[in-house]
Amino acid sequence: MTQYMLMFSLGPVQPFIAQARKARDLWVGSLLIANLMQAAMKDIPKEAFIFPAEQKVEAVPDIPNKYVALFTGQEAALQAAKQSRENIKKHWEEICRVVWKKIIANHGDGQAISIWTRQTSFDTLFEVYWAITEEGKQEYKDWLDETEQLFAARKRLRDFKPQNESGEKSATSGDREILHGSSIDSKSINAFWQKIASSHSAKDLDQEGKEHLDAIDTIKRFAMQAKLLSSEQPFPSTSSIATASFIESLLGRNFDPQILNQWSNATIDKLADQDPRSIPLLLQKAQSLGLSKWEWLLQRDGDLYFPSIFTPRPLEKSYNIKEPSEVATVIGEGQKALRNLLATTSALGITRPSPYYAIVQMDGDRMGVLLSGVKGEDEHRSISAALSCFARRTVPPIVEKQYPGRLIYAGGDDVLAFAPLARDTAESGQPKHVLELVDRLQSRYSEMVRGSLPLPQNKERLQGITASTGIAIAHHYTSLSYALRSAREAEDAAKKQYGRNALVVTVLRRSGEQTQVGCHWCYPNLAEDAQPIPLFSSFLTLFKEDILSPKCVHILLEEASILVGLDSSAQKSEIKRVLLRQLSEGKKNTEREERLKQLAGYVVDLAKAMDDQVSDGASLEVELHADSRRYGLVETLGWLLVMVFLARKDQDQE
């Protein structure tokens, strides 16, 4: 019997998800798309699906915005496409109806209804595309390729959707009108939003009515409260992500009870507003220690670990504490308790809270090329199963159970996650910092997808199964949209500028200065300890434990224009000299000196391996902040500068 292939997608995904001011909005946007796709697939028999292997959302958004299914008749495929679209539309309209009823209805007039109806219109907001092709007599891979080409051609014929968005625009989307009543003066608009905010906490909405949202912003902000999503797991703030490793170090440590009691009492009531489930690893550790003893610590948002929160304006804006005597009490007790807590933890060797966190964006390389080589339906299903298993069974444990991070989504080969930069305490086998985290993700991705291919396996095809990752390291108060854009640009640079199978990190310092570095995950003919992640990790440990002064990196960067012109032997000699001179006086011993000599050699070896992969005749720069490719030695020293940053030796203050 002749089969028909249906390829179906919902979009646009990136704008819908990325238009967010809070980390929670980003998470909910991703969860909304996943729930809509779950609705799209619910009436199709499971055995019809080629991709994805799983059609229901679990704890995190882990199904993609596209599916491929086979049907025994053209009409059946067409009806499935139409039904998928209708199911998405019905589910979306129900979400909009409930959020309107629970959040806006009591405050909105005819004008607000008009804006809401226009902006939430399914036909205007979403793009649904599909393509159907007949099996024919061609090979499976040609059939799949034909469907992909037809599908791509349909997407290029985008439907024109006129926009009629006047007045003040949402600061989040930048292009949609904010919700408001009939009166459009600023005082009336503020009053409109102040009424809505009065029913919610300061973490949900600005209590003064100065946070103006459009309809889509509002749905993202309150869909979780309206209990409309498949998961109700709360999402932490960027501040809590940044400080997660500090909290991990606190759990279970022997403190002076008076210090902890003082901190607990100073941050009780209105300040204890975080759900303990927000960061799974911390909850898991607290439960293993006795939740009743430590749960209160998980209820504190990360912003409380920075002195600036204990000033009048932040307390009013973030916690709605504004009565003068209460403000004075919270400031006095909070500042004193925080000073004592940080002094105690420093004495115990616990690294102080970092104001920076990482956004991780990973994507599989050459997925189209991989699929174009499938020999049949069974192989395609095997690859799909591997991608679903990676997204559902591998990524969440690595990010959320082996590391104190949180996933935004994991859709097959596509991963977006938030993570703290580094940890003081990590159990054996767990990632110690964000570079080890992403290295583990890409390694497991490659292993799982390669393992899904049938025997005998083509070596050249296996080598093409890789992933590229971009990381943006941002201050916890940096605009989320800016940090997300930087992570996407870093991933794009990993694919285009560094030739895929690569990692690019961009450090967004609060001062405005940026540092971007990149490299491949591994290089041929290098010792294991000379490969990028192990080498950089070694330096991170030396900086973190104050064995090696960060000054060595700055000295070598100043010498870079001369060093790149020397031969390998001379480079190793000079780097060795500088490292040994910057070895801390109180920590010198023969073993460490020999280790530094070895690392100096590894730095040069890695730099040469980087240079060897640059196209012949390509111009290389000696400036670290040059836009084009740098000499391998400059790139490697740039990575060491990032290690200094991760070790908290060269970070801006909060």
Side-chain angles (χ1 to χ4, degrees):
M1 186 175 292
T2 302
Q3 288 190 305
Y4 290 82
M5 182 180 291
L6 166 62
M7 191 170 288
F8 180 100
S9 80
L10 170 68
V13 172
Q14 279 295 343
F16 185 87
I17 294 175
Q19 289 176 349
R21 297 188 72 182
K22 293 177 179 288
R24 184 183 64 185
D25 298 346
L26 186 71
W27 154 257
V28 171
S30 179
L31 198 55
L32 280 167
I33 291 292
N35 275 252
L36 292 174
M37 280 304 297
Q38 177 177 277
M41 296 186 283
K42 71 175 184 177
D43 293 328
I44 300 173
K46 184 175 179 62
E47 60 269 18
F49 287 100
I50 299 293
F51 175 81
E54 302 290 344
Q55 296 84 44
K56 291 185 177 180
V57 184
E58 287 197 344
V60 299
D62 55 10
I63 57 176
N65 68 313
K66 177 181 179 180
Y67 74 73
V68 179
L70 300 184
F71 300 87
T72 54
Q74 184 177 12
E75 185 60 28
L78 182 59
Q79 282 303 115
K82 290 180 177 179
Q83 189 62 51
S84 288
R85 185 186 189 282
E86 187 61 25
N87 287 348
I88 294 173
K89 184 177 181 180
K90 284 183 179 178
H91 192 59
W92 172 249
E93 288 175 346
E94 176 62 10
I95 289 170
C96 296
R97 184 190 69 79
V98 174
V99 174
W100 169 268
K101 181 180 179 181
K102 291 189 175 183
I103 307 300
I104 307 295
N106 291 335
H107 312 286
D109 56 18
Q111 180 63 27
I113 293 174
S114 176
I115 297 171
W116 183 273
T117 303
R118 181 181 75 245
Q119 292 181 351
T120 60
S121 167
F122 179 81
D123 295 330
T124 301
L125 182 63
F126 292 106
E127 298 170 354
V128 174
Y129 299 113
W130 71 75
I132 299 172
T133 58
E134 186 178 356
E135 182 177 12
K137 296 181 180 180
Q138 74 269 51
E139 293 184 12
Y140 182 86
K141 65 178 182 179
D142 296 323
W143 182 24
L144 178 61
D145 186 55
E146 178 189 351
T147 311
E148 285 278 11
Q149 289 183 23
L150 185 62
F151 181 75
R154 174 61 187 94
K155 289 186 73 173
R156 286 194 292 270
L157 296 173
R158 293 184 181 275
D159 302 320
F160 177 68
K161 299 177 180 179
Q163 299 290 327
N164 181 27
E165 300 290 335
S166 58
E168 182 185 340
K169 302 296 189 297
S170 162
T172 302
S173 70
D175 54 14
R176 288 188 294 265
E177 182 180 8
I178 61 168
L179 287 171
H180 59 78
S182 300
S183 300
I184 58 173
D185 61 282
S186 59
K187 186 176 181 180
S188 297
I189 292 174
N190 283 353
F192 173 84
W193 282 103
Q194 194 170 24
K195 289 177 183 176
I196 295 172
S198 65
S199 302
H200 305 281
S201 76
K203 289 296 178 78
D204 290 327
L205 205 58
D206 178 75
Q207 298 295 294
E208 296 178 347
K210 294 181 180 179
E211 187 176 9
H212 305 158
L213 308 177
D214 62 36
I216 309 306
D217 300 336
T218 304
I219 289 169
K220 289 185 192 177
R221 186 66 58 85
F222 295 105
M224 191 77 75
Q225 287 188 23
K227 300 189 180 303
L228 294 166
L229 302 176
S230 56
S231 172
E232 295 182 8
Q233 185 177 6
F235 202 89
S237 67
T238 54
S239 303
S240 291
I241 291 289
T243 58
S245 52
F246 176 73
I247 306 305
E248 182 184 21
S249 297
L250 297 185
L251 291 171
R253 294 295 291 266
N254 290 321
F255 283 94
D256 178 348
Q258 187 176 349
I259 297 296
L260 281 181
N261 288 338
Q262 184 185 40
W263 178 241
S264 176
N265 293 334
T267 54
I268 206 165
D269 299 327
K270 291 182 180 179
L271 297 183
D273 67 346
Q274 180 171 264
D275 193 305
R277 299 172 297 162
S278 295
I279 301 179
L281 180 69
L282 300 186
L283 179 61
Q284 175 186 316
K285 188 168 183 177
Q287 288 174 333
S288 70
L289 296 167
L291 186 60
S292 59
K293 179 180 179 181
W294 294 101
E295 182 178 16
W296 67 270
L297 194 59
L298 305 187
Q299 295 174 341
R300 274 59 175 170
D301 190 282
D303 59 8
L304 294 174
Y305 295 94
F306 303 103
S308 63
I309 195 68
F310 293 105
T311 51
R313 184 60 181 156
L315 285 175
E316 180 179 357
K317 191 171 181 61
S318 297
Y319 294 96
N320 199 31
I321 298 174
K322 50 191 175 183
E323 199 280 319
S325 62
E326 184 181 12
V327 170
T329 299
V330 171
I331 289 175
E333 294 181 356
Q335 288 181 344
K336 181 180 179 180
L338 181 58
R339 276 196 309 271
N340 291 339
L341 176 67
L342 294 181
T344 300
T345 55
S346 294
L348 291 172
I350 297 174
T351 304
R352 289 203 169 201
S354 170
Y356 286 83
Y357 71 104
I359 299 180
V360 174
Q361 180 103 39
M362 187 192 106
D363 186 48
D365 296 324
R366 300 183 181 92
M367 184 55 64
V369 175
L370 172 66
L371 293 178
S372 68
V374 297
K375 294 179 174 61
E377 179 184 327
D378 289 344
E379 183 178 337
H380 195 174
R381 289 182 187 276
S382 179
I383 293 172
S384 295
L387 291 173
S388 288
C389 186
F390 174 71
R392 180 161 293 188
R393 304 288 176 240
T394 302
V395 178
I398 292 175
V399 175
E400 298 188 344
K401 293 184 178 180
Q402 298 178 21
Y403 201 81
R406 278 298 304 271
L407 270 173
I408 301 295
Y409 60 74
D413 64 323
D414 198 9
V415 175
L416 179 64
F418 285 12
L421 303 187
R423 308 162 72 183
D424 281 347
T425 58
E427 293 182 13
S428 177
Q430 292 184 348
K432 297 181 180 66
H433 50 80
V434 69
L435 299 188
E436 288 188 350
L437 174 71
V438 297
D439 187 43
R440 186 164 302 185
L441 287 174
Q442 69 84 24
S443 176
R444 292 292 293 130
Y445 168 80
S446 297
E447 288 174 11
M448 295 179 73
V449 177
R450 289 171 184 170
S452 71
L453 300 183
L455 299 173
Q457 295 180 332
N458 181 285
K459 185 176 181 181
E460 185 175 337
R461 191 180 183 203
L462 291 178
Q463 290 176 340
I465 300 174
T466 57
S468 294
T469 299
I471 298 177
I473 295 175
H475 191 275
H476 67 126
Y477 286 153
T478 296
S479 160
L480 183 59
S481 60
Y482 175 51
L484 284 167
R485 185 169 67 250
S486 297
R488 288 194 299 272
E489 290 172 351
E491 182 207 286
D492 189 59
K495 288 180 178 290
K496 295 178 180 177
Q497 189 174 341
Y498 291 86
R500 298 187 180 91
N501 192 24
L503 167 67
V504 169
V505 174
T506 302
V507 179
L508 306 172
R509 291 179 175 81
R510 202 177 189 196
S511 63
E513 181 185 354
Q514 292 189 21
T515 299
Q516 185 176 87
V517 291
C519 64
H520 290 290
W521 297 106
C522 61
Y523 292 85
N525 305 318
L526 286 183
E528 184 177 345
D529 285 353
Q531 296 291 353
I533 304 304
L535 177 60
F536 303 152
S537 298
S538 295
F539 276 97
L540 174 58
T541 300
L542 292 172
F543 294 137
K544 196 173 181 63
E545 296 180 0
D546 292 318
I547 295 170
L548 185 64
S549 168
K551 188 177 178 181
C552 66
V553 181
H554 298 283
I555 292 172
L556 290 171
L557 279 170
E558 289 176 0
E559 297 178 355
S561 60
I562 298 173
L563 284 173
V564 296
L566 302 177
D567 61 31
S568 296
S569 177
Q571 288 178 344
K572 290 179 181 180
S573 178
E574 174 58 11
I575 294 173
K576 189 188 307 178
R577 183 190 70 83
V578 172
L579 294 184
L580 290 173
R581 287 198 64 179
Q582 297 304 318
L583 180 59
S584 299
E585 280 296 331
K587 299 188 177 181
K588 287 183 178 180
N589 59 44
T590 302
E591 183 179 346
R592 284 180 177 149
E593 289 176 357
E594 290 303 313
R595 178 59 173 161
L596 288 183
K597 292 176 183 178
Q598 184 182 50
L599 291 177
Y602 287 163
V603 166
V604 175
D605 292 343
L606 176 57
K608 185 178 183 305
M610 289 181 176
D611 288 340
D612 288 345
Q613 292 197 348
V614 177
S615 302
D616 290 341
S619 177
L620 296 175
E621 300 287 341
V622 296
E623 290 294 330
L624 177 59
H625 296 100
D627 292 332
S628 55
R629 288 292 294 269
R630 281 103 24 155
Y631 280 97
L633 186 58
V634 176
E635 195 82 55
T636 302
L637 292 174
W639 274 105
L640 299 191
L641 192 63
V642 172
M643 295 307 102
V644 170
F645 192 88
L646 294 187
R648 297 294 319 278
K649 305 301 178 183
D650 188 25
Q651 288 189 22
D652 301 299
Q653 297 302 309
E654 61 152 329

